[in-house]
Coordinates of all heavy atoms in Angstrom, one line a residue:
M110 N -21.3 13.7 3.4 CA -20.3 14.4 2.7 C -19.7 15.4 3.6 O -20.4 16.1 4.4 CB -21.0 15.2 1.5 CG -20.0 15.9 0.6 SD -20.7 16.6 -0.8 CE -21.3 15.2 -1.7
A111 N -18.3 15.5 3.6 CA -17.6 16.4 4.5 C -17.7 17.8 4.0 O -17.8 18.1 2.8 CB -16.2 15.9 4.6
Q112 N -17.6 18.7 5.0 CA -17.5 20.2 4.7 C -16.1 20.6 5.2 O -15.7 20.2 6.2 CB -18.6 20.9 5.3 CG -20.0 20.6 4.8 CD -21.0 21.5 5.4 OE1 -20.8 22.3 6.3 NE2 -22.3 21.3 5.0
I113 N -15.5 21.5 4.4 CA -14.2 22.0 4.7 C -14.2 23.5 4.6 O -14.8 24.1 3.6 CB -13.1 21.4 3.7 CG1 -13.0 19.9 3.8 CG2 -11.8 22.1 4.0 CD1 -12.1 19.3 2.8
T114 N -13.6 24.2 5.5 CA -13.5 25.6 5.5 C -12.1 26.0 5.0 O -11.1 25.5 5.4 CB -13.7 26.2 6.9 OG1 -15.0 25.8 7.4 CG2 -13.6 27.7 6.9
L115 N -12.1 26.9 4.0 CA -10.8 27.4 3.4 C -10.7 28.8 3.7 O -11.7 29.6 3.5 CB -10.8 27.1 1.9 CG -10.8 25.7 1.4 CD1 -10.9 25.7 -0.1 CD2 -9.6 24.9 1.8
Y116 N -9.5 29.2 4.1 CA -9.2 30.7 4.3 C -8.3 31.1 3.1 O -7.2 30.7 3.0 CB -8.5 30.9 5.6 CG -9.4 30.5 6.8 CD1 -9.4 29.2 7.3 CD2 -10.4 31.3 7.3 CE1 -10.2 28.8 8.4 CE2 -11.2 31.0 8.3 CZ -11.1 29.7 8.9 OH -12.0 29.3 9.9
L117 N -8.9 32.0 2.3 CA -8.1 32.5 1.2 C -8.0 34.0 1.2 O -8.9 34.7 1.7 CB -8.9 32.1 -0.1 CG -9.2 30.7 -0.3 CD1 -10.1 30.5 -1.6 CD2 -8.0 29.9 -0.5
D118 N -6.9 34.5 0.8 CA -6.8 36.0 0.7 C -7.7 36.5 -0.5 O -8.2 35.7 -1.3 CB -5.3 36.4 0.5 CG -4.6 35.9 -0.7 OD1 -5.3 35.9 -1.8 OD2 -3.5 35.5 -0.7
E119 N -7.9 37.8 -0.5 CA -8.8 38.3 -1.5 C -8.4 38.0 -2.9 O -9.3 37.7 -3.8 CB -9.0 39.8 -1.3 CG -9.7 40.2 0.0 CD -9.7 41.7 0.2 OE1 -9.4 42.5 -0.7 OE2 -10.1 42.1 1.3
R120 N -7.1 38.1 -3.2 CA -6.7 37.8 -4.6 C -6.9 36.4 -5.0 O -7.4 36.1 -6.1 CB -5.2 38.1 -4.7 CG -4.6 37.9 -6.0 CD -3.1 38.4 -6.1 NE -2.5 38.0 -7.3 CZ -1.8 36.8 -7.4 NH1 -1.7 36.0 -6.4 NH2 -1.3 36.5 -8.6
L121 N -6.6 35.4 -4.1 CA -6.8 34.0 -4.4 C -8.3 33.7 -4.5 O -8.7 32.9 -5.4 CB -6.2 33.2 -3.3 CG -6.0 31.7 -3.7 CD1 -5.2 31.5 -5.0 CD2 -5.2 31.0 -2.5
E122 N -9.1 34.3 -3.6 CA -10.6 34.1 -3.7 C -11.1 34.6 -5.0 O -12.0 33.9 -5.7 CB -11.3 34.8 -2.6 CG -12.8 34.6 -2.6 CD -13.5 35.5 -1.6 OE1 -12.8 36.3 -0.9 OE2 -14.7 35.3 -1.4
A123 N -10.7 35.7 -5.5 CA -11.1 36.2 -6.8 C -10.7 35.3 -7.9 O -11.5 35.1 -8.9 CB -10.6 37.6 -7.0
R124 N -9.5 34.8 -7.9 CA -9.1 33.9 -8.9 C -9.9 32.6 -8.9 O -10.2 32.0 -9.9 CB -7.6 33.6 -8.8 CG -6.7 34.8 -9.1 CD -5.3 34.5 -8.9 NE -4.8 33.6 -9.9 CZ -3.7 32.9 -9.8 NH1 -2.8 33.2 -8.9 NH2 -3.3 32.1 -10.8
L125 N -10.2 32.1 -7.7 CA -11.0 30.9 -7.6 C -12.4 31.1 -8.1 O -12.9 30.3 -8.9 CB -11.1 30.5 -6.1 CG -12.2 29.5 -5.7 CD1 -12.0 28.1 -6.5 CD2 -12.3 29.2 -4.2
R126 N -13.0 32.3 -7.8 CA -14.3 32.6 -8.3 C -14.3 32.7 -9.8 O -15.2 32.1 -10.4 CB -14.8 33.9 -7.7 CG -16.2 34.3 -8.0 CD -16.7 35.6 -7.3 NE -16.5 35.6 -5.9 CZ -15.7 36.4 -5.2 NH1 -15.0 37.3 -5.9 NH2 -15.6 36.3 -3.9
A127 N -13.3 33.3 -10.4 CA -13.3 33.4 -11.8 C -13.1 32.1 -12.5 O -13.7 31.8 -13.5 CB -12.1 34.4 -12.2
A128 N -12.2 31.2 -11.9 CA -12.0 29.9 -12.5 C -13.2 29.0 -12.5 O -13.6 28.4 -13.4 CB -10.8 29.2 -11.8
A129 N -13.9 29.1 -11.3 CA -15.1 28.3 -11.2 C -16.2 28.8 -12.2 O -16.9 28.0 -12.8 CB -15.6 28.4 -9.8
Q130 N -16.3 30.1 -12.3 CA -17.3 30.7 -13.2 C -17.0 30.3 -14.6 O -17.9 29.9 -15.4 CB -17.4 32.2 -13.0 CG -18.5 32.8 -13.8 CD -18.6 34.3 -13.5 OE1 -17.6 34.9 -13.0 NE2 -19.8 34.9 -13.8
A131 N -15.7 30.4 -15.0 CA -15.3 30.0 -16.4 C -15.6 28.5 -16.7 O -15.9 28.2 -17.8 CB -13.8 30.3 -16.6
A132 N -15.5 27.7 -15.7 CA -15.8 26.3 -15.9 C -17.3 26.0 -15.7 O -17.7 24.8 -15.8 CB -15.0 25.4 -14.9
N133 N -18.1 27.0 -15.4 CA -19.5 26.8 -15.2 C -19.8 25.9 -14.0 O -20.7 25.0 -14.1 CB -20.2 26.4 -16.5 CG -21.7 26.7 -16.4 OD1 -22.1 27.6 -15.7 ND2 -22.5 25.9 -17.1
L134 N -19.0 26.0 -12.9 CA -19.1 25.2 -11.8 C -19.3 26.1 -10.5 O -18.8 27.2 -10.5 CB -17.9 24.3 -11.6 CG -17.6 23.2 -12.7 CD1 -16.2 22.6 -12.4 CD2 -18.7 22.2 -12.7
S135 N -19.8 25.5 -9.5 CA -19.8 26.2 -8.2 C -18.3 26.2 -7.7 O -17.5 25.3 -8.1 CB -20.7 25.5 -7.2 OG -20.1 24.2 -6.8
Q136 N -18.0 27.1 -6.8 CA -16.7 27.1 -6.2 C -16.4 25.8 -5.5 O -15.3 25.3 -5.6 CB -16.5 28.3 -5.3 CG -16.6 29.6 -6.0 CD -16.5 30.8 -5.1 OE1 -15.7 30.8 -4.1 NE2 -17.3 31.8 -5.3
S137 N -17.4 25.3 -4.8 CA -17.2 24.1 -4.1 C -16.9 22.9 -5.0 O -16.0 22.1 -4.8 CB -18.5 23.8 -3.3 OG -18.3 22.6 -2.6
R138 N -17.6 22.8 -6.1 CA -17.4 21.7 -7.1 C -16.1 21.9 -7.8 O -15.4 20.9 -8.0 CB -18.5 21.7 -8.1 CG -18.4 20.7 -9.3 CD -18.1 19.3 -9.0 NE -18.8 18.7 -7.8 CZ -18.3 17.7 -7.1 NH1 -17.2 17.0 -7.5 NH2 -18.9 17.2 -6.0
W139 N -15.7 23.1 -8.1 CA -14.4 23.3 -8.7 C -13.2 22.9 -7.8 O -12.3 22.2 -8.3 CB -14.2 24.8 -9.1 CG -13.1 25.1 -10.0 CD1 -13.1 25.1 -11.3 CD2 -11.8 25.5 -9.5 NE1 -11.8 25.4 -11.8 CE2 -11.0 25.6 -10.7 CE3 -11.2 25.7 -8.3 CZ2 -9.6 26.0 -10.7 CZ3 -9.8 26.0 -8.3 CH2 -9.1 26.2 -9.4
V140 N -13.3 23.2 -6.5 CA -12.2 22.8 -5.6 C -12.3 21.3 -5.4 O -11.2 20.7 -5.4 CB -12.4 23.6 -4.2 CG1 -11.5 23.0 -3.2 CG2 -12.2 25.0 -4.4
A141 N -13.5 20.7 -5.3 CA -13.6 19.3 -5.1 C -13.0 18.5 -6.3 O -12.3 17.5 -6.2 CB -15.0 18.9 -4.9
N142 N -13.2 19.0 -7.5 CA -12.6 18.4 -8.8 C -11.1 18.5 -8.7 O -10.4 17.6 -9.1 CB -13.2 19.1 -10.0 CG -14.6 18.7 -10.3 OD1 -15.2 17.9 -9.7 ND2 -15.2 19.4 -11.3
L143 N -10.6 19.7 -8.3 CA -9.1 19.8 -8.2 C -8.5 18.9 -7.2 O -7.5 18.3 -7.5 CB -8.8 21.3 -7.9 CG -7.3 21.7 -7.8 CD1 -6.7 21.5 -9.2 CD2 -7.2 23.1 -7.3
I144 N -9.1 18.7 -6.1 CA -8.6 17.8 -5.1 C -8.7 16.4 -5.6 O -7.7 15.6 -5.5 CB -9.4 17.9 -3.8 CG1 -9.2 19.3 -3.1 CG2 -9.1 16.8 -2.8 CD1 -10.1 19.6 -1.9
A145 N -9.8 16.0 -6.2 CA -9.9 14.6 -6.8 C -8.8 14.4 -7.8 O -8.2 13.3 -7.9 CB -11.3 14.4 -7.4
E146 N -8.5 15.4 -8.7 CA -7.5 15.3 -9.7 C -6.1 15.1 -9.1 O -5.3 14.3 -9.5 CB -7.5 16.5 -10.6 CG -6.5 16.6 -11.6 CD -6.4 17.9 -12.4 OE1 -7.5 18.4 -12.8 OE2 -5.3 18.5 -12.6
K147 N -5.8 15.9 -8.1 CA -4.5 15.8 -7.4 C -4.3 14.5 -6.6 O -3.2 14.0 -6.5 CB -4.3 17.0 -6.5 CG -4.2 18.3 -7.2 CD -3.0 18.3 -8.1 CE -2.9 19.7 -8.8 NZ -1.7 19.7 -9.7
L148 N -5.4 13.9 -6.1 CA -5.3 12.7 -5.4 C -5.5 11.4 -6.2 O -5.3 10.3 -5.7 CB -6.3 12.7 -4.2 CG -6.1 13.8 -3.2 CD1 -7.2 13.7 -2.1 CD2 -4.8 13.7 -2.5
D149 N -5.8 11.6 -7.5 CA -6.0 10.4 -8.3 C -4.7 9.7 -8.5 O -3.7 10.3 -8.8 CB -6.5 10.9 -9.7 CG -7.1 9.7 -10.5 OD1 -7.1 8.6 -10.0 OD2 -7.5 10.0 -11.7
D150 N -4.7 8.3 -8.4 CA -3.5 7.6 -8.5 C -3.4 6.7 -9.7 O -2.7 5.7 -9.8 CB -3.3 6.7 -7.2 CG -4.4 5.7 -7.0 OD1 -5.4 5.8 -7.8 OD2 -4.3 4.9 -6.1
E151 N -4.2 7.1 -10.7 CA -4.2 6.4 -12.0 C -3.8 7.4 -13.1 O -4.0 8.6 -13.0 CB -5.6 5.8 -12.3 CG -6.0 4.8 -11.4 CD -7.4 4.2 -11.8 OE1 -7.8 4.4 -12.9 OE2 -7.9 3.5 -11.0
W152 N -3.2 6.8 -14.2 CA -2.8 7.7 -15.3 C -4.1 8.1 -16.0 O -5.1 7.4 -16.1 CB -2.0 6.8 -16.3 CG -0.6 6.5 -15.8 CD1 -0.2 5.4 -15.3 CD2 0.5 7.4 -15.8 NE1 1.1 5.4 -14.9 CE2 1.6 6.7 -15.3 CE3 0.7 8.7 -16.2 CZ2 2.9 7.2 -15.1 CZ3 2.0 9.3 -16.0 CH2 3.0 8.5 -15.5
P153 N -4.1 9.4 -16.5 CA -5.2 9.8 -17.3 C -5.4 9.0 -18.5 O -4.5 8.4 -19.1 CB -4.8 11.3 -17.7 CG -3.7 11.6 -16.8 CD -3.0 10.4 -16.4
A154 N -6.7 8.9 -19.0 CA -7.0 8.1 -20.2 C -6.2 8.5 -21.4 O -5.8 7.6 -22.2 CB -8.5 8.2 -20.5
A155 N -5.9 9.8 -21.5 CA -5.1 10.2 -22.7 C -3.7 9.6 -22.7 O -3.1 9.3 -23.7 CB -5.0 11.7 -22.7
V156 N -3.1 9.4 -21.5 CA -1.8 8.8 -21.3 C -1.9 7.3 -21.6 O -1.0 6.7 -22.4 CB -1.2 9.1 -19.9 CG1 0.1 8.3 -19.8 CG2 -1.0 10.6 -19.8
T157 N -2.8 6.6 -21.0 CA -2.9 5.1 -21.2 C -3.2 4.8 -22.7 O -2.8 3.8 -23.2 CB -3.9 4.5 -20.3 OG1 -5.2 5.1 -20.5 CG2 -3.5 4.6 -18.9
A158 N -3.9 5.7 -23.4 CA -4.2 5.5 -24.8 C -2.9 5.5 -25.7 O -3.0 5.0 -26.8 CB -5.2 6.6 -25.3
L159 N -1.9 6.1 -25.2 CA -0.6 6.1 -25.9 C 0.1 4.7 -25.9 O 1.1 4.6 -26.7 CB 0.3 7.2 -25.3 CG -0.1 8.6 -25.5 CD1 0.8 9.5 -24.8 CD2 -0.1 8.9 -27.0
A160 N -0.3 3.8 -25.1 CA 0.4 2.5 -25.0 C 0.4 1.9 -26.4 O -0.7 1.7 -27.0 CB -0.3 1.6 -24.0
G161 N 1.5 1.5 -26.9 CA 1.6 0.9 -28.2 C 1.6 1.8 -29.3 O 1.6 1.4 -30.5
A162 N 1.6 3.1 -29.1 CA 1.5 4.1 -30.1 C 2.8 4.2 -31.0 O 2.7 4.7 -32.1 CB 1.2 5.5 -29.5
W163 N 3.9 3.7 -30.5 CA 5.2 3.7 -31.2 C 5.6 2.3 -31.4 O 6.4 1.7 -30.7 CB 6.2 4.5 -30.4 CG 6.0 6.0 -30.3 CD1 6.2 6.9 -31.3 CD2 5.4 6.6 -29.2 NE1 5.8 8.1 -30.8 CE2 5.3 8.0 -29.5 CE3 4.9 6.2 -27.9 CZ2 4.8 8.9 -28.7 CZ3 4.4 7.2 -27.1 CH2 4.3 8.5 -27.5
P164 N 5.1 1.7 -32.5 CA 5.4 0.3 -32.7 C 6.9 0.0 -33.0 O 7.4 -1.1 -32.8 CB 4.6 -0.1 -34.0 CG 4.3 1.2 -34.6 CD 4.3 2.2 -33.6
D165 N 7.7 1.0 -33.4 CA 9.1 0.8 -33.7 C 10.0 1.2 -32.5 O 11.2 1.2 -32.6 CB 9.5 1.6 -34.9 CG 9.2 3.1 -34.8 OD1 8.4 3.5 -33.9 OD2 9.8 3.9 -35.5
L166 N 9.4 1.5 -31.3 CA 10.1 1.8 -30.1 C 10.9 0.6 -29.6 O 10.3 -0.5 -29.5 CB 9.2 2.3 -29.0 CG 9.8 2.9 -27.8 CD1 10.6 4.2 -28.1 CD2 8.8 3.1 -26.7
P167 N 12.2 0.7 -29.4 CA 13.0 -0.4 -29.0 C 12.5 -0.9 -27.6 O 12.0 -0.1 -26.8 CB 14.4 0.1 -29.0 CG 14.4 1.4 -29.5 CD 13.0 1.9 -29.6
E168 N 12.8 -2.2 -27.3 CA 12.5 -2.7 -26.0 C 13.5 -2.0 -25.0 O 14.6 -1.6 -25.3 CB 12.7 -4.2 -26.0 CG 11.7 -5.0 -26.8 CD 10.3 -4.9 -26.2 OE1 10.2 -4.8 -25.0 OE2 9.3 -4.8 -27.0
V169 N 13.1 -2.0 -23.7 CA 13.9 -1.3 -22.7 C 15.3 -1.9 -22.6 O 16.2 -1.2 -22.4 CB 13.1 -1.3 -21.3 CG1 13.0 -2.7 -20.8 CG2 13.8 -0.4 -20.4
E170 N 15.4 -3.2 -22.8 CA 16.7 -3.8 -22.7 C 17.6 -3.3 -23.8 O 18.8 -3.1 -23.5 CB 16.6 -5.4 -22.7 CG 15.9 -6.0 -21.5 CD 14.4 -5.9 -21.6 OE1 13.8 -5.6 -22.7 OE2 13.8 -6.2 -20.6
A171 N 17.1 -3.1 -25.0 CA 17.9 -2.6 -26.1 C 18.3 -1.2 -25.8 O 19.5 -0.8 -26.1 CB 17.1 -2.7 -27.4
M172 N 17.5 -0.4 -25.2 CA 17.9 1.0 -24.9 C 18.9 1.0 -23.8 O 19.9 1.8 -23.9 CB 16.6 1.8 -24.5 CG 15.7 2.1 -25.6 SD 14.3 3.2 -25.2 CE 13.3 2.1 -24.3
R173 N 18.8 0.2 -22.8 CA 19.7 0.2 -21.7 C 21.1 -0.4 -22.1 O 22.1 0.0 -21.5 CB 19.2 -0.6 -20.5 CG 18.0 0.1 -19.8 CD 17.5 -0.7 -18.7 NE 16.4 0.0 -18.0 CZ 15.5 -0.6 -17.3 NH1 15.5 -2.0 -17.1 NH2 14.5 0.1 -16.7
A174 N 21.1 -1.2 -23.1 CA 22.4 -1.8 -23.6 C 23.4 -0.8 -24.1 O 24.6 -1.0 -24.0 CB 22.1 -2.8 -24.7
T175 N 22.9 0.4 -24.5 CA 23.8 1.4 -25.1 C 24.2 2.4 -24.0 O 25.0 3.3 -24.3 CB 23.0 2.2 -26.2 OG1 21.9 2.9 -25.6 CG2 22.6 1.3 -27.3
L176 N 23.8 2.2 -22.8 CA 24.1 3.1 -21.7 C 25.5 2.9 -21.1 O 26.1 3.8 -20.5 CB 23.1 3.1 -20.6 CG 21.7 3.5 -20.9 CD1 20.8 3.3 -19.8 CD2 21.7 5.0 -21.4
G177 N 26.1 1.8 -21.3 CA 27.4 1.5 -20.7 C 27.3 1.1 -19.2 O 26.3 0.9 -18.7
Q178 N 28.5 1.1 -18.6 CA 28.6 0.7 -17.2 C 28.3 1.8 -16.2 O 28.7 2.9 -16.5 CB 30.0 0.1 -16.9 CG 30.2 -0.5 -15.6 CD 29.5 -1.8 -15.4 OE1 29.2 -2.5 -16.4 NE2 29.1 -2.1 -14.2
D179 N 27.5 1.5 -15.2 CA 27.2 2.5 -14.2 C 28.4 2.8 -13.3 O 29.2 1.9 -13.1 CB 26.0 2.1 -13.4 CG 25.4 3.2 -12.6 OD1 25.7 4.4 -12.8 OD2 24.5 2.9 -11.7
T180 N 28.5 3.9 -12.8 CA 29.6 4.3 -11.9 C 29.4 3.6 -10.5 O 28.3 3.5 -10.0 CB 29.6 5.8 -11.6 OG1 29.7 6.5 -12.9 CG2 30.7 6.3 -10.8
V181 N 30.5 3.2 -9.9 CA 30.5 2.6 -8.6 C 30.1 3.7 -7.6 O 30.7 4.8 -7.7 CB 31.8 1.9 -8.3 CG1 31.8 1.4 -6.9 CG2 32.2 0.9 -9.3
R182 N 29.2 3.4 -6.7 CA 28.7 4.4 -5.8 C 29.2 4.0 -4.4 O 29.3 2.9 -4.0 CB 27.2 4.5 -5.9 CG 26.8 5.0 -7.3 CD 25.3 4.8 -7.5 NE 25.0 5.0 -8.9 CZ 24.1 5.7 -9.3 NH1 23.3 6.4 -8.5 NH2 23.9 5.9 -10.6
E183 N 29.3 5.1 -3.6 CA 29.7 4.9 -2.2 C 28.5 4.4 -1.4 O 27.3 4.9 -1.7 CB 30.2 6.2 -1.6 CG 31.5 6.7 -2.2 CD 31.9 8.0 -1.6 OE1 31.4 8.4 -0.6 OE2 32.8 8.6 -2.2
P184 N 28.6 3.5 -0.5 CA 27.5 3.1 0.3 C 27.0 4.3 1.2 O 27.7 5.1 1.7 CB 28.0 2.0 1.2 CG 29.5 2.2 1.2 CD 29.8 2.9 0.0
I185 N 25.7 4.2 1.5 CA 25.1 5.2 2.4 C 25.2 4.7 3.8 O 24.8 3.6 4.1 CB 23.6 5.5 2.0 CG1 23.5 6.0 0.6 CG2 23.0 6.4 3.1 CD1 22.1 6.2 0.2
E186 N 25.8 5.5 4.7 CA 26.0 5.0 6.1 C 25.0 5.7 7.0 O 24.4 6.6 6.8 CB 27.4 5.4 6.5 CG 28.4 4.6 5.7 CD 29.8 5.0 6.1 OE1 30.0 5.4 7.3 OE2 30.7 4.8 5.3

């Protein structure tokens, strides 16, 4: 397991300590959880559970059909 040294100003350190204590975690575990959350590349379970939650939601093609013609764009050089 890797060890990382963080340099925090006093105000930020106090906020970290309070947040970790409120979550009943060590400061190290609190920071590790935050890093894991930020680096996670999957949708949270609460979001994936919404799939199919709106049975009357139109298909994407139907929604795009009402958008009209896109503007001609200049090429990037």
Side-chain angles (χ1 to χ4, degrees):
M110 184 175 294
Q112 293 183 359
I113 298 174
T114 302
L115 297 174
Y116 297 95
L117 306 173
D118 61 40
E119 291 177 8
R120 181 176 169 269
L121 196 53
E122 180 187 8
R124 291 179 66 193
L125 166 62
R126 188 178 303 115
Q130 187 175 21
N133 199 27
L134 297 171
S135 69
Q136 293 175 42
S137 179
R138 174 52 37 205
W139 191 88
V140 170
N142 287 351
L143 182 63
I144 292 170
E146 176 186 315
K147 293 297 182 181
L148 297 179
D149 194 3
D150 59 356
E151 294 183 13
W152 289 101
V156 173
T157 57
L159 291 173
W163 293 279
D165 58 342
L166 186 69
E168 293 292 325
V169 68
E170 292 82 10
M172 289 188 283
R173 289 182 179 155
T175 63
L176 293 178
Q178 187 68 24
D179 197 7
T180 304
V181 177
R182 298 168 191 226
E183 297 178 11
I185 299 176
E186 297 179 22

